[in-house]
Amino acid sequence: MENIFNQYKWPILIGTAGFILAILFLTVGFLQTMLILILTIAGSVLGFYLQAHGILK
């Protein structure tokens, strides 16, 4: 099973992300989904920035 996951890691991850995105579109709507994605990306960028500069150490 681990060999199959390693061979098809990116298609599995992208497919899962697409599935979650589709569920979000259907349940909360387009604009709310876009807000969730924008805030998640902004939080990730801020986290990488803080880690790279050692601000929280």
Side-chain angles (χ1 to χ4, degrees), residues 13-57:
L13 291 175
I14 299 300
T16 303
F19 178 74
I20 292 170
L21 191 60
I23 295 296
L24 281 172
F25 279 141
L26 292 174
T27 57
V28 298
F30 179 76
L31 293 178
Q32 291 87 351
T33 299
M34 289 296 112
L35 179 63
I36 290 170
L37 290 174
I38 290 169
L39 292 176
T40 302
I41 291 169
S44 297
V45 168
L46 179 63
F48 281 121
Y49 176 80
L50 293 175
Q51 181 181 5
H53 290 10
I55 294 174
L56 297 177
K57 269 192 170 177

Side-chain angles (χ1 to χ4, degrees), residues 5-22:
F5 181 74
N6 286 335
Q7 185 177 0
Y8 298 108
K9 179 170 63 171
W10 288 111
I12 291 170
L13 291 175
I14 299 300
T16 303
F19 178 74
I20 292 170
L21 191 60

